[in-house]
Amino acid sequence: MKKKSQRLMAGFIALASAVTMLTACGGSKTGTDSGSAGKASTASTTSTASKASSAASQTKADDKPIEISMYMPDNATLPYKKDWLTFETVQKNTNVKLNVEAIPIADYQTKVSLALNTADNAPDVILYQSSVGENASLALNGAIVPISDYSEWTPNYNAWVEKLGLKEDVERLKLKDGKLYYMPALYDKPFYDGGLLLREDFLEKKGFSAPKTFDDLYKILKAYKEENPKSYPLTILAGPRVLYRFTMPSFGISVGKNSSSGSYTLSYDYDKKEYFTGAIDDKCKEYFAFFAKLYKEGLLDPEMADPIDGDKWAKCLADGTSIASWAYYDQIGGVAAASNIKGFKLQMYAPLEGPSGAHTQPRSRTVGGIMFPTSTTKRADFEQVVRKIDEMFYSEENAKVWCLGVEGVTYKMEGDKIVYNEEIQKAPNGIFKQMQVDYGCGANGTQQVWLLDLELTKYDDNFKKINEEVAAMPDAIQSVPPAPAFDDMTAEDAASLSTPLADKFEVWADAFITGKKSVDSDWDAYVKEMKDLGIEEYCKMYNDNLKK
């Protein structure tokens, strides 16, 4: 009973905190009740699944599509379309009818948390998930299917793990009980697809060299502000979480909603191979001080504290209100096409050097992927659901659909060369973005197999050149920190600490950057509040449970 109440409380706290953050800046099938979800165990999951599989095997197959409900994140810069070629094709290929609930990305994890904590209206499948943070506790308490128990049902996924040499990487994703609770998206090689976007034409006009450091960027923004007093030279894509994940690593930290570890307030020391209290470290103080300076001097978009709707950031760049943002290379074409500024030229630059070197967001060859709530095991055809999802996202045929679309529609083959159709080639957005928007190809969350050679066919020579530059930089793209191997009780305790710490961090981070609080005079008060909420204990939990 204690575990159940703890999990429910953590879920409702998470819901409340997300509503708070949104102010500042439903699945289609019925699952188990909250009590059974809270008391479910791995053993009962396996037992239920075995019975379901047996029942399924006794059911005569027919041609009627199997219906599967699914959560997926919806991004304002890439809104989900039911009639995307990718979705229509893979459903046809697998004889599946997907009932998709596309949830705004800002609300996504909150809704997922609520569904997993209570099992009320949980979908059959949840995309874009991993087993870090609260999900680790939920998994070890039986709310999530240990998919490694059913490896014989995921032959396509297994084949890619083997082919890409990712067995050790996947092994590191297992929790304390030695089980894997999601099928990750798989990469053969990490690549640099997003970073600082900056008006190259302004640099050329003023005689600036390409920025190498954050101080270089400050001088460029300052010069633009002097020439355009009403401007806010640096704007933000989708809110501070994107800014943080791209820029914090150069200051030696990664905290916030998109922290690389999923801990929200801790950071990883790559030299010492241990976690530290990143959110209250002097590195974080230095980070806030830099961006507070930009904000105070009118160099940072004053709306950065709120999620920026749709393409508002792009409009700021296109009309000259801003000249810089951290965003993705595939978005350059759309911004340039929308601009009437003569000679407008937007370029992506390598990571800027900060106090801790030049780094961008850490990457792994295994990232958030596909998860099954335990309630899905109650379906008589549970085995078929798992097999269909494996085929839909990981079979060679459908993996190619998620990446390239359909041969004869989006592209054709000329020998070994992929040639995209004329409309895609001439799209002002560029090939990659046009394929995302019009066809649903190359979208995080849905594409689960990423092969660099295929991805590069969607980009120009400039993108390849930038990637070569970044590849030559030492540790520009660091690995994602290792996850602690919590047991179920420790995972619950960590989750109960994580939420209030995250809430407190968001309030103070906004206050520091916008000048409502002073980094100099109020920092000690902030640190005290975080310590009172148990950040040091939280950090110790992580370090005590790292796999040696």
Side-chain angles (χ1 to χ4, degrees):
M1 191 61 145
K2 181 180 178 182
K3 281 188 181 182
K4 180 180 120 180
S5 63
Q6 283 178 327
R7 281 184 42 221
L8 286 172
M9 182 61 69
F12 289 119
I13 290 174
L15 175 62
S17 68
V19 171
T20 301
M21 285 188 284
L22 284 171
T23 304
C25 353
S28 63
K29 80 177 187 64
T30 302
T32 58
D33 61 32
S34 59
S36 60
K39 296 177 182 178
S41 66
T42 300
S44 64
T45 299
T46 304
S47 176
T48 304
S50 298
K51 293 175 182 177
S53 175
S54 177
S57 66
Q58 296 172 15
T59 303
K60 184 177 179 180
D62 55 33
D63 293 332
K64 184 179 179 181
I66 180 174
E67 291 197 30
I68 300 175
S69 59
M70 185 173 77
Y71 278 2
M72 65 170 283
D74 197 25
N75 195 320
T77 62
L78 182 62
Y80 163 73
K81 298 176 184 175
K82 186 177 181 180
D83 62 351
W84 267 336
L85 177 66
T86 48
F87 277 82
E88 290 185 340
T89 302
V90 299
Q91 289 179 87
K92 181 180 178 181
N93 288 349
T94 55
N95 196 31
V96 168
K97 181 180 184 299
L98 286 176
N99 298 316
V100 176
E101 184 171 354
I103 302 165
I105 188 70
D107 303 332
Y108 192 60
Q109 200 54 43
T110 302
K111 184 142 189 181
V112 168
S113 173
L114 191 58
L116 292 175
N117 269 284
T118 65
D120 289 338
N121 296 316
D124 299 312
V125 179
I126 304 176
L127 301 185
Y128 209 52
Q129 290 296 293
S130 68
S131 56
V132 300
E134 184 192 14
N135 280 356
S137 172
L138 291 166
L140 292 170
N141 277 285
I144 301 167
V145 172
I147 194 62
S148 56
D149 283 357
Y150 310 104
S151 60
E152 69 274 17
W153 299 353
T154 59
N156 296 291
Y157 162 78
N158 301 342
W160 278 114
V161 171
E162 178 77 29
K163 183 176 181 178
L164 300 180
L166 291 171
K167 281 188 173 182
E168 290 186 8
D169 299 73
V170 170
E171 189 67 26
R172 287 193 288 270
L173 303 178
K174 292 181 177 180
L175 297 184
K176 189 81 169 181
D177 60 0
K179 297 179 184 290
L180 182 69
Y181 286 86
Y182 68 104
M183 294 189 291
L186 309 171
Y187 286 73
D188 62 344
K189 301 173 185 176
F191 59 98
Y192 185 67
D193 59 349
L196 174 64
L197 304 189
L198 179 63
R199 285 267 302 280
E200 188 176 33
D201 58 296
F202 179 75
L203 269 61
E204 293 171 348
K205 174 184 173 183
K206 292 296 183 179
F208 284 111
S209 299
K212 299 295 183 183
T213 69
F214 280 88
D215 287 338
D216 291 343
L217 177 64
Y218 171 75
K219 292 172 184 176
I220 292 167
L221 300 179
K222 192 77 172 173
Y224 191 80
K225 181 73 173 182
E226 289 173 357
E227 191 171 291
N228 303 274
K230 294 183 179 180
S231 70
Y232 294 103
L234 178 61
T235 190
I236 305 300
L237 165 67
R241 62 184 176 83
V242 177
L243 176 71
Y244 294 167
R245 76 169 180 240
F246 276 124
T247 58
M248 281 185 170
S250 290
F251 286 75
I253 53 173
S254 179
V255 295
K257 194 170 188 176
N258 289 151
S259 66
S260 58
S261 66
S263 67
Y264 216 119
T265 54
L266 306 179
S267 293
Y268 188 70
D269 187 314
Y270 288 87
D271 294 326
K272 295 180 180 178
K273 300 188 184 307
E274 65 182 21
Y275 280 91
F276 64 98
T277 53
I280 61 172
D281 194 87
D282 283 347
K283 294 181 177 69
C284 193
K285 182 178 182 180
E286 189 171 11
Y287 179 87
F288 285 146
F290 177 80
F291 283 96
K293 179 173 72 170
L294 298 190
Y295 191 94
K296 182 178 181 180
E297 296 181 14
L299 306 180
L300 180 61
D301 191 333
E303 296 187 32
M304 66 81 60
D306 297 319
I308 297 176
D309 296 331
D311 292 332
K312 188 173 181 180
W313 71 278
K315 292 174 183 176
C316 288
L317 286 174
D319 66 17
T321 301
S322 305
I323 59 160
S325 183
W326 265 271
Y328 292 89
Y329 189 85
D330 62 81
Q331 294 169 315
I332 290 176
V335 176
S339 180
N340 294 318
I341 298 173
K342 186 177 180 180
F344 184 96
K345 187 161 53 172
L346 198 60
Q347 175 65 288
M348 183 171 79
Y349 293 87
L352 300 181
E353 182 180 348
S356 296
H359 307 290
T360 186
Q361 57 180 330
R363 290 291 184 92
S364 171
R365 295 175 64 205
T366 55
V367 300
I370 300 172
M371 180 174 284
F372 298 89
T374 298
S375 54
T376 310
T377 65
K378 289 184 171 291
R379 289 186 55 148
D381 57 355
F382 174 55
E383 177 178 346
Q384 288 305 307
V385 171
V386 175
R387 288 186 180 277
K388 290 291 187 181
I389 291 298
D390 172 66
E391 180 186 359
M392 178 176 286
F393 290 99
Y394 294 98
S395 69
E396 288 207 19
E397 177 186 18
N398 290 322
K400 185 176 287 187
V401 171
W402 290 113
C403 176
L404 301 176
V406 176
E407 187 172 358
V409 180
T410 54
Y411 72 98
K412 63 182 179 180
M413 298 300 299
E414 293 185 355
D416 294 333
K417 184 179 181 182
I418 297 168
V419 179
Y420 295 99
N421 73 38
E422 188 174 352
E423 180 185 358
I424 291 173
Q425 289 190 53
K426 293 182 177 179
N429 281 334
I431 292 173
F432 185 92
K433 193 63 181 178
Q434 194 67 21
M435 290 186 69
Q436 278 190 327
V437 173
D438 282 0
Y439 302 102
C441 299
N444 285 326
T446 52
Q447 183 173 330
Q448 304 299 327
V449 179
W450 297 79
L451 307 177
L452 182 57
D453 286 346
L454 292 183
E455 295 305 320
L456 289 178
T457 65
K458 306 174 190 177
Y459 292 100
D460 55 21
D461 290 339
N462 183 56
F463 179 80
K464 297 172 187 175
K465 181 180 177 182
I466 295 168
N467 265 269
E468 289 172 358
E469 179 186 352
V470 174
M473 299 169 65
D475 295 323
I477 304 177
Q478 297 167 308
S479 61
V480 171
F486 290 142
D487 58 29
D488 58 346
M489 289 301 295
T490 307
E492 284 189 8
D493 291 341
S496 69
L497 288 172
S498 176
T499 299
L501 284 168
D503 293 346
K504 187 66 67 177
F505 169 81
E506 289 292 345
V507 171
W508 277 94
D510 174 72
F512 282 136
I513 291 177
T514 59
K516 297 171 190 147
K517 295 287 186 179
S518 167
V519 175
D520 294 323
S521 59
D522 295 310
W523 183 258
D524 289 346
Y526 160 64
V527 170
K528 183 180 185 304
E529 288 190 20
M530 294 293 278
K531 286 184 177 181
D532 289 345
L533 288 172
I535 191 170
E536 292 171 316
E537 179 187 355
Y538 185 47
C539 185
K540 187 176 186 300
M541 286 181 183
Y542 265 68
N543 285 326
D544 287 348
N545 289 277
L546 283 178
K547 293 179 182 178
K548 303 301 182 183

